[in-house]
Amino acid sequence: MADLLRIQDILTKIQAYRSDADVDLIQKAYVFAAQAHEGQVRRSGEPYVLHPLAVAELVADLQLDEAAICAAILHDTVEDTSTTVSDVEELFGTSIAQLVDGLTKLSKIRFNSSQERQAENFRKMIIAMSRDLRVILVKLADRLHNMRTLHHLPEEKQKRIGQETLDIYAPLANRLGINAYKQELEDLSFRYIWPGEYRFLAEKVSQTRDAREKYTLDVTNKINELMDSYELDASITGRPKHLYSIWQKMRRQGIDFEHVYDLIGFRIITDTEKDCYQSLGLIHMNWRPIPGRFKDYIALPKANNYRSLHTAVIGPNGQRIEVQIRTEEMHHVNEHGVAAHWAYKEGRTKEDNADQKFIWLKQLVQWQRELKDPEDFLDTLKLDLFVDDVYAFTPNGDLKVLPRGSTAVDFAYAIHSEVGDRCCGALVNGRMVPLDYRLRNGDMIEIRNRDNQNPNPDWLRFVRTGRAKNRIRAHQRKIQRMVNLDLGKELLEKELRRYGKSLNKITKSKTIDKAVKALGFQEKDDMLAAIGAQRIQASSTIRYLLTIEEREAAGDKDGTPADGDKENLGIVERLAETFRRRLTKQRSGIKVDGMSDILVRTAKCCQPVPGDRITGYVTTTQGVSIHAMDCPNIKTADPDRMVETYWDHQNTDPYPTWVRVISENTHGKLADMSQVFSQKKINILNAACNASRTDMAVSDFEIVVQDAEQLELAIASLRRLPGVVSVERLRPA
């Protein structure tokens, strides 16, 4: 019954703003979803179909078309039922099917970490929303309803989902100009991430509600009288700040609740822009404005097309109040964002003015293509979604809108990537400033370039924009590859000398080309760089090269092994049985294909740690050897000897692994790195530090960790150290 009432509410809403809406299509989607989700329930115990209907109602509140509403109703059918995208396309058409596909998580793909899964989900979402912004509007509605019902989930999931919402979805709602969603998502995230602080603030605000409501009414009446006296038509409302913004202010300014004076904001909605400015003058005539708190977002709109006048004044009884002044049209756009002015048509291909307002979305699409590392991608996504704009100008008067806190280097990269790369100095308003100078509204910036200048890794300490960070990191990767290539050549040459051979001879004989191809590399330098990075071992590569030479000498020109008799499929079981033993005092920490009491050892070539995807290889003399799934040495192993293996999460034994840090060769770097390991409670077993020919220091650490997560946290902290070019996990030599 509840679902029937809700679908009727949805139909009533869409007919109110789209008289020609295809209500039969929406009803058809409802019937299909109800059948697909039949028998499924949410954590609350409610029928599952109520969730997509609630999302569809939120989408209708945004006044989107029937295709978006159908996609909202169907958005979980592909992910949570046997329905396919093809089924949706056959019944509802290509447009709705593409929307549903864009909303479907990558739940059927296996990822190496939760971070990689999160990054790939956002990659897919960004690609889909670049084709059709309705994808993200429906996704935001989906997230909002999930947050409203988050109390039914375990506390751990509440915090994880709340943090993801605060990091990605609330800023995304802000970038799209949907202020109502932004504020509610922030408050709901606040409630679950910091429950104690949330309850404290909620109680404080509740205690002052009566006095606040009386004050709000008094000020609203005074502003109304003021507007009437000058015959200005205006609608005035007062509202308390949302809890998260109050808490942010307390943290930012280091004050307690009693010293947050501007808890109430007032909104004046007028007929015209002229009335907006006249209303501002009246407010400033009657109450003293607070210096530095006036913002004209009508003349200079925010990047998300937000337009309004903002001011703060000392109001009645000496209390600070915030006032926003805008037209009705501005208010509609500010609350509903892109949904308020995005014109949807099936098959729309041409760009319109709305497309131009969201160039940042095209930048996100470009970054998701360039950034393969999940951590880099998520960092960039979070960085560029949190936007509080600053406006600065080139000497020619071109306006550049950058995130608050951006520096002269960010400005250089905003002009052009090469201008940023070659940046050596900056003049702001005619004065020379350091490159980490933080821009202010109205600054005029002139960038100085030098031809032999390259991006400095120290810039990563202060640049704010994703564009700048991406370019600097790209240069770091280039340096890292050069270092790895040099090291790889040295290691391979050294290993070849043991057999009376040289890299030059192996290269001329074309033998190395066959090894490169067989090991899955595109070219020789890729393999050498992998050896230098110790992703593969020089000794293993040499043995492979020599084997190819021996086979060629024996007459096998392509270097592949001759066909022989296959061992029967029972080899794994027979060999595994040979090494079965009772372990009474020590746990291996690894389970082998459902079998217990198996002699296992982690392979030295890849040294997997808990959290890595692993597989087992049954050896002839040493039991089951455990390898990381991406270990090059396991890729050419006999598949008949492979067994499935799993980490025993009850085991708490530490595991050894190697980390390489490439940094500037300056004083104190080694101490900084050691401090990071100490803070993360990681012991160092061995360390080897060498200076390369590119004036960089290469530091290899053998450490012991509890799991991959502890290792990733340490690597992330190392990457943030000044002068560090790269940090990567190593295959031991």
Side-chain angles (χ1 to χ4, degrees):
M1 180 60 71
D3 53 334
L4 290 174
L5 291 174
R6 182 152 265 172
I7 190 64
Q8 190 56 51
D9 288 342
I10 293 168
L11 296 176
T12 301
K13 285 183 178 181
I14 191 171
Q15 286 175 314
Y17 63 86
R18 289 176 70 93
S19 58
D20 60 343
D22 188 349
V23 295
D24 290 339
L25 185 66
I26 297 173
Q27 288 177 320
K28 179 181 177 182
Y30 158 65
V31 172
F32 182 87
Q35 292 174 346
H37 291 296
E38 187 175 6
Q40 294 180 346
V41 294
R42 302 196 84 204
R43 287 292 186 100
S44 62
E46 294 178 323
Y48 193 90
V49 74
L50 290 178
H51 165 64
L53 287 177
V55 175
E57 190 168 9
L58 288 169
V59 170
D61 289 335
L62 291 174
Q63 298 188 358
L64 299 189
D65 62 3
E66 52 266 48
I69 292 175
C70 287
I73 294 172
L74 300 167
H75 80 273
D76 276 337
T77 55
V78 173
E79 184 177 339
D80 296 333
T81 76
S82 59
T83 303
T84 66
V85 175
S86 297
D87 295 334
V88 176
E89 183 171 13
E90 183 178 348
L91 290 168
F92 299 97
T94 302
S95 177
I96 293 175
Q98 288 176 345
L99 289 172
V100 172
D101 186 42
L103 290 160
T104 302
K105 295 177 185 175
L106 308 181
S107 56
K108 297 181 181 178
I109 299 177
R110 296 180 67 183
F111 296 110
N112 295 329
S113 67
S114 59
Q115 187 177 50
E116 183 178 341
R117 174 180 292 278
Q118 185 188 37
E120 293 310 310
N121 279 328
F122 286 124
R123 286 185 200 276
K124 181 174 183 183
M125 183 180 70
I126 285 168
I127 293 171
M129 70 191 248
S130 70
R131 298 180 183 136
D132 193 330
L133 267 177
R134 288 175 295 182
V135 169
I136 192 56
L137 296 176
V138 177
K139 185 62 183 175
L140 283 172
D142 177 40
R143 177 51 61 115
L144 180 56
H145 185 254
N146 280 331
M147 289 298 295
R148 287 176 176 177
T149 57
L150 197 61
H151 56 280
H152 295 293
L153 296 182
E155 183 179 349
E156 182 182 349
K157 280 193 173 183
Q158 290 176 356
K159 289 184 179 292
R160 177 178 60 79
I161 295 171
Q163 190 65 58
E164 181 183 80
T165 300
L166 195 61
D167 286 345
I168 303 293
Y169 288 99
L172 194 51
N174 181 46
R175 286 303 297 261
L176 292 168
I178 311 175
N179 191 56
Y181 275 29
K182 168 189 175 287
Q183 293 188 357
E184 187 173 356
L185 288 172
E186 285 179 342
D187 274 356
L188 288 168
S189 300
F190 179 33
R191 173 183 175 183
Y192 292 108
I193 302 172
W194 297 282
E197 291 87 341
Y198 178 88
R199 286 193 297 270
F200 169 79
L201 268 188
E203 184 178 342
K204 284 287 188 181
V205 170
S206 177
Q207 289 172 357
T208 62
R209 179 175 290 118
D210 291 343
R212 189 176 63 251
E213 288 178 351
K214 182 180 183 303
Y215 183 81
T216 301
L217 181 61
D218 290 343
V219 175
T220 300
N221 290 335
K222 288 181 184 296
I223 297 176
N224 265 318
E225 292 172 5
L226 186 61
M227 297 295 114
D228 289 342
S229 66
Y230 284 85
E231 298 182 347
L232 279 175
D233 288 333
S235 169
I236 294 92
T237 56
R239 57 177 179 80
K241 281 190 171 182
H242 65 296
L243 294 182
Y244 182 69
S245 68
I246 296 173
W247 185 65
Q248 275 189 311
K249 183 165 187 174
M250 290 168 59
R251 291 176 63 190
R252 187 170 59 247
Q253 298 183 4
I255 58 178
D256 55 27
F257 178 79
E258 283 69 24
H259 290 88
V260 180
Y261 298 114
D262 49 350
L263 289 173
I264 305 172
F266 294 87
R267 183 171 294 148
I268 302 174
I269 298 178
T270 68
D271 293 334
T272 66
E273 285 189 20
K274 179 182 176 182
D275 291 345
C276 290
Y277 287 101
Q278 191 170 352
S279 300
L280 175 70
L282 294 176
I283 294 295
H284 282 182
M285 282 172 55
N286 283 268
W287 294 299
R288 182 162 58 87
I290 299 172
R293 298 295 300 276
F294 169 63
K295 305 287 184 184
D296 188 345
Y297 294 122
I298 293 179
L300 290 172
K302 290 188 177 184
N304 61 8
N305 204 37
Y306 177 94
R307 302 179 73 210
S308 184
L309 298 176
H310 287 196
T311 190
V313 298
I314 305 298
N317 305 329
Q319 186 168 330
R320 295 185 182 192
I321 58 173
E322 291 187 349
V323 182
Q324 299 175 357
I325 309 170
R326 62 186 65 158
T327 66
E328 183 65 51
E329 180 185 358
M330 292 175 194
H331 178 63
H332 186 57
V333 172
N334 293 348
E335 290 300 297
H336 295 91
V338 65
H341 58 247
W342 191 262
Y344 293 107
K345 288 190 297 184
E346 198 141 335
R348 181 176 72 90
T349 57
K350 289 186 178 180
E351 273 195 351
D352 57 22
N353 291 333
D355 292 297
Q356 298 303 317
K357 300 177 190 299
F358 296 94
I359 294 174
W360 60 271
L361 180 53
K362 295 181 180 179
Q363 292 175 340
L364 287 184
V365 174
Q366 184 63 30
W367 292 329
Q368 71 81 23
R369 290 174 185 153
E370 294 175 355
L371 299 176
K372 303 304 181 186
D373 181 79
E375 183 179 351
D376 285 351
F377 175 65
L378 287 174
D379 284 348
T380 298
L381 187 64
K382 295 172 185 177
L383 201 65
D384 282 81
L385 286 178
F386 279 114
V387 61
D388 185 10
D389 299 329
V390 62
Y391 301 85
F393 299 87
T394 68
N396 294 329
D398 294 332
L399 175 66
K400 299 295 179 183
V401 183
L402 296 165
R404 180 75 59 182
S406 293
T407 64
V409 173
D410 292 295
F411 187 87
Y413 277 108
I415 296 172
H416 194 278
S417 296
E418 291 186 5
V419 174
D421 288 347
R422 295 185 287 112
C423 175
C424 64
L427 286 171
V428 174
N429 304 323
R431 291 188 307 105
M432 185 66 73
V433 297
L435 291 178
D436 61 356
Y437 170 85
R438 300 205 176 274
L439 307 182
R440 299 173 183 172
N441 279 324
D443 279 347
M444 193 276 285
I445 296 113
E446 181 182 350
I447 300 297
R448 297 289 177 85
N449 278 172
R450 188 165 53 217
D451 288 340
N452 61 350
Q453 178 71 34
N454 287 312
N456 189 326
D458 273 351
W459 292 352
L460 285 172
R461 289 188 297 106
F462 56 77
V463 292
R464 178 71 175 80
T465 59
R467 183 188 185 106
K469 286 183 177 289
N470 293 343
R471 289 290 298 190
I472 298 165
R473 285 170 177 159
H475 182 71
Q476 288 179 296
R477 287 191 291 270
K478 182 179 178 181
I479 292 177
Q480 178 183 328
R481 179 175 169 83
M482 291 169 56
V483 171
N484 287 341
L485 192 58
D486 285 345
L487 287 173
K489 288 177 181 177
E490 292 176 11
L491 289 170
L492 195 59
E493 190 72 66
K494 180 180 178 181
E495 192 70 21
L496 281 166
R497 287 196 209 104
R498 294 175 55 196
Y499 298 90
K501 298 181 181 296
S502 70
L503 182 58
N504 187 44
K505 289 182 179 180
I506 290 286
T507 302
K508 285 182 178 179
S509 70
K510 304 294 183 183
T511 302
I512 198 168
D513 294 334
K514 293 173 182 176
V516 167
K517 184 178 179 181
L519 292 172
F521 295 101
Q522 294 293 321
E523 54 185 44
K524 180 186 70 175
D525 282 357
D526 292 337
M527 184 182 77
L528 293 173
I531 293 172
Q534 296 193 14
R535 290 195 296 272
I536 60 173
Q537 293 177 273
S539 56
S540 298
T541 307
I542 293 300
R543 287 195 293 272
Y544 197 82
L545 287 167
L546 295 177
T547 302
I548 292 175
E549 285 191 333
E550 290 171 1
R551 289 170 182 163
E552 288 180 338
D556 187 354
K557 298 301 180 184
D558 64 359
T560 57
D563 290 337
D565 295 332
K566 292 283 185 182
E567 296 180 31
N568 66 52
L569 295 176
I571 187 171
V572 171
E573 288 78 4
R574 295 200 311 275
L575 289 173
E577 184 65 31
T578 304
F579 303 106
R580 226 176 265 277
R581 68 178 183 179
R582 180 68 57 187
L583 303 177
T584 56
K585 293 185 179 180
Q586 183 178 0
R587 299 167 59 93
S588 69
I590 296 169
K591 298 179 180 179
V592 180
D593 198 20
M595 298 181 289
S596 58
D597 305 330
I598 301 294
L599 176 60
V600 300
R601 63 182 182 86
T602 55
K604 292 182 178 180
C605 57
C606 54
Q607 286 190 329
V609 299
D612 291 338
R613 292 176 60 207
I614 54 174
T615 187
Y617 178 78
V618 181
T619 69
T620 55
T621 59
Q622 295 181 306
V624 178
S625 178
I626 307 301
H627 293 258
M629 289 287 270
D630 59 353
C631 176
N633 293 330
I634 208 66
K635 291 180 180 178
T636 55
D638 184 351
D640 288 340
R641 295 193 179 205
M642 308 301 293
V643 289
E644 287 193 35
T645 54
Y646 314 92
W647 292 107
D648 181 356
H649 295 295
Q650 296 181 2
N651 184 65
T652 58
D653 293 338
Y655 289 78
T657 190
W658 283 84
V659 170
R660 168 168 293 172
V661 183
I662 298 177
S663 65
E664 293 178 347
N665 188 17
T666 55
H667 178 72
K669 286 289 184 293
L670 185 59
D672 292 341
M673 298 173 200
S674 300
Q675 181 67 20
V676 168
F677 289 123
S678 176
Q679 290 172 348
K680 301 299 180 185
K681 298 182 180 178
I682 294 174
N683 289 331
I684 301 173
L685 298 180
N686 290 297
C689 305
N690 296 288
S692 75
R693 287 181 286 178
T694 54
D695 293 327
M696 306 297 286
V698 181
S699 305
D700 292 344
F701 297 94
E702 185 181 15
I703 57 177
V704 287
V705 297
Q706 296 294 331
D707 52 36
E709 183 178 1
Q710 186 186 27
L711 177 60
E712 287 174 5
L713 290 172
I715 288 175
S717 296
L718 289 168
R719 284 176 177 156
R720 288 193 289 268
L721 291 176
V724 169
V725 172
S726 69
V727 185
E728 60 180 333
R729 186 173 165 187
L730 280 185
R731 307 291 186 195

